[in-house]
Amino acid sequence: MTGDIPPGGAPRPRIAVFAGPTATILNTPDLVTSNKARARHGLPLRPARFDVLRPQRLAAPATLYVEAYSAHPLEDDAAGLYAPPDGWLDKDGAFHAERPHDGATPVHVVELDPADGLYPLPYMGRQADGSAWEETSTAPYAPPGAARQTFYPDARRLYEEIERFGLGDLGAPVELGSVADFAFFRAAPSGGYTTGPDSERLGQDFFVYYPYHLQSEPGLADLARATNQVQDVLASGEYAGVQWLEGSPTVDETLYWLGLLIDTTAPLVGHAAQRRHQSLSADGDRNVVDGVKFIASGVALDERGEDRVGACVIVDELVYSARDVTKVDARPGGYEVTGGHGGVVADLGGYGPPQLTYLPARRHTHRSELRLTLLPERVPGVTGSLAGGVSPVDIATKDAAGLVPAAMPHVSITKYSRYAATGTGTDSPPVAEEEVEVLARIDANLADAPLAGFVCEGMSPFGMADPTRNAALSVAVFAGLPVVRTGRGNTGGMAYRTDPVFISGNNLTATKARLLLMAALLKFGALPPAADPFAPTLDERAATEKAVARYQTLFDTH
């Protein structure tokens, strides 16, 4: 699409659409061989009354006779309002331009052409051995080479099917192409091309969750590359906004990260789906349409034409701030506001234009202190071990391409719960060494991840844990690994600052605090390590408190 000027004079906005990982919104039901194909090839029939129709392309033009007045049970009741049909079919199926007798069937003549686009048709495919497809794999738990893919490699086909089969509330088509132009990109995509000279690898180049036994997850390096790609695309200045498509449990996390790192004045919106595309009550298509409506309306822009809302997740006709939303249930309507303050920034329901309901006070995108264009190229890290000592090390975190994938920070989440294996009463004082998981993770990070930290999901709302875990996390802090405290679960209150060597997570969930800490590590690097992390001096503690204060400013404002 070329950005032509439609009637009215204004050019259509151009939107960049990114296919992200494990995205139900880009997933389709398994292609199962139809009874039409089974009957044709002598295969056992499925017990279903009807064949499922799947979008496919015609190979040649075809002429069809469609029974008149069959689109609605009451069409015939209003037959007097209609023009005469194109003709009639007699009982032998012969076409007549004039009605041959009273019992002839009135029909419309439809000329179908491959250029028309996709049509819903019975699926005729079979396996290589001639048997019917019953699921996406040749057999249950088949390896990747014996399994087809259900995810689209990018969103091009999704948008085509929305336009081709989507139906507006008043019977008009859903015309995405008349509202905006689109460019399609793949960033840690959900589907991949596995044959040919540029074949891709499952779990390295694309990431699926279905079939479930082949589930794969992107890593930190993939997030770095996706961030660089989004920034590079938007740096062209060609796009009025971004639509990011990802799995529903995590789309808010990625959008929050992009809202912190991407330097842009254009809106960033994410979409997900609880049900697969083409399935009964699929919700993803409407989310996509609403996202186009939101970006094209310009409601997110201020008087300078700059985004004033920040990264958002648009689902179920609501626009949520990505910072303040999380998925809590596997059904439409399964998203809830977190943090207890705002969250829904706009409403898309009804027939009117989008309306903003509040403006987030937190810094984002072109106002973020963590945007990619402001991040340094090098920061201090730490290396060594708790037993042998911790030393500073210089880490290259950014180059001409953007974030260095190998330098991405490792931030772990540890969760407090009462009734630990060892109590901490007066007869059992806190001993950091008992927190073997935390201490082992500290040593692993010092060995392999010079930029690292922890998030402790502790008591609500303050984020504190039991004395033993607090002691172990203090060791992490004085080994150079910053620690953020957040409230429990879907937190609704502030994790107030109670110890100046720990970062207060504000009203962020643990998963969002993890992302903000990763970004902060890319800006500031590791904390200054103490000579003995188990016993810091007063001067070392003061240096740590000063360094932590810089982190705290980011958590109070982003």
Side-chain angles (χ1 to χ4, degrees), residues 23 34 65 91 115 119 143 150 195 203 248 275 282 308 315 320-321 345 364 376-377 398 429 484 493:
S34 67
Y65 300 112
K91 59 184 174 71
Y119 281 99
T150 58
T195 58
S248 56
R275 302 186 181 107
R308 54 182 172 168
V315 291
Y320 295 93
S321 168
V345 300
H364 59 78
E377 294 184 354
K398 196 175 79 170
V484 180

Side-chain angles (χ1 to χ4, degrees), residues 429-446:
V431 181
E433 287 85 345
E434 291 187 3
E435 275 293 338
V436 292
E437 292 181 1
V438 172
L439 296 177
R441 173 48 57 190
I442 295 171
D443 264 330
N445 287 341
L446 291 173

Side-chain angles (χ1 to χ4, degrees), residues 42-415:
L43 299 173
L45 300 180
R46 294 177 65 87
R49 178 184 175 191
F50 299 111
D51 267 332
V52 171
L53 304 181
R54 305 300 292 268
Q56 296 168 79
R57 302 192 191 281
L58 295 179
T63 299
L64 298 182
Y65 300 112
V66 178
E67 183 178 342
Y69 316 122
S70 63
H72 189 281
L74 293 176
E75 257 203 308
D76 189 55
D77 186 69
L81 302 177
Y82 285 72
D86 296 323
W88 288 262
L89 295 184
D90 61 27
K91 59 184 174 71
D92 296 321
F95 177 79
H96 301 268
E98 301 292 336
R99 183 162 55 187
H101 52 77
D102 287 343
T105 302
V107 296
H108 302 298
V109 180
V110 182
E111 303 289 346
L112 306 184
D113 191 275
D116 297 336
L118 299 164
Y119 281 99
L121 298 165
Y123 181 66
M124 303 297 287
R126 295 173 294 139
Q127 295 193 44
D129 63 3
S131 62
W133 287 106
E134 304 292 355
E135 57 178 285
T136 198
S137 303
T138 56
Y141 306 106
R148 300 173 295 170
Q149 295 185 57
T150 58
F151 292 86
Y152 290 159
D154 63 26
R156 187 180 307 272
R157 175 67 175 253
L158 173 69
Y159 281 50
E160 179 184 2
E161 291 184 14
I162 290 174
E163 282 207 272
R164 182 68 168 143
F165 304 113
L167 190 62
D169 291 329
L170 300 178
V174 176
E175 298 181 2
L176 295 179
S178 66
V179 177
D181 296 327
F182 302 92
F184 298 95
F185 302 93
R186 304 171 69 232
S190 303
Y193 301 96
T194 60
T195 58
D198 299 319
S199 64
E200 297 173 321
R201 296 159 296 177
L202 173 65
Q204 298 184 52
D205 302 305
F206 63 98
F207 305 91
V208 306
Y209 66 79
Y210 187 84
Y212 299 119
H213 68 286
L214 299 179
Q215 179 180 357
S216 57
E217 283 285 326
L220 289 171
D222 302 300
L223 177 61
R225 286 186 283 267
T227 305
N228 296 340
Q229 184 183 9
V230 174
Q231 183 66 74
D232 184 61
V233 167
L234 287 175
S236 68
E238 297 179 12
Y239 298 97
V242 162
Q243 291 182 282
W244 176 277
L245 311 181
E246 188 174 334
S248 56
T250 56
V251 64
D252 61 301
E253 296 177 39
T254 304
L255 262 294
Y256 179 52
W257 170 265
L258 295 177
L260 294 171
L261 272 289
I262 301 301
D263 191 353
T264 182
T265 59
L268 304 176
V269 303
H271 306 299
Q274 306 284 16
R275 302 186 181 107
R276 299 196 214 184
H277 174 61
Q278 300 177 358
S279 66
L280 184 66
S281 295
D283 52 311
D285 296 4
R286 180 57 183 262
N287 295 338
V288 165
V289 173
D290 282 345
V292 174
K293 178 181 178 181
F294 178 76
I295 294 173
S297 73
V299 70
L301 307 180
D302 62 17
E303 64 277 2
R304 297 182 300 275
E306 298 177 347
D307 178 41
R308 54 182 172 168
V309 174
C312 296
V313 174
I314 300 181
V315 291
D316 306 323
E317 300 184 34
L318 292 175
V319 184
Y320 295 93
S321 168
R323 182 188 184 277
D324 304 313
V325 66
T326 191
K327 178 181 176 180
V328 298
D329 201 356
R331 62 185 182 196
Y335 288 87
E336 286 189 5
V337 171
T338 59
H341 304 278
V344 177
V345 300
D347 184 275
L348 288 161
Y351 296 101
Q355 296 188 46
L356 292 186
T357 55
Y358 95 104
L359 293 177
R362 310 290 177 159
R363 301 181 73 87
H364 59 78
T365 55
H366 59 100
R367 298 175 58 242
S368 171
E369 294 297 325
L370 297 162
R371 60 191 188 272
L372 197 54
T373 53
L374 292 186
L375 292 180
E377 294 184 354
R378 312 187 74 86
V379 297
V382 286
T383 188
S385 69
L386 291 176
V390 182
S391 304
V393 61
D394 189 51
I395 302 298
T397 52
K398 196 175 79 170
D399 57 21
L403 297 177
V404 176
M408 287 289 282
H410 289 237
V411 175
S412 304
I413 297 175
T414 180
K415 187 176 178 71

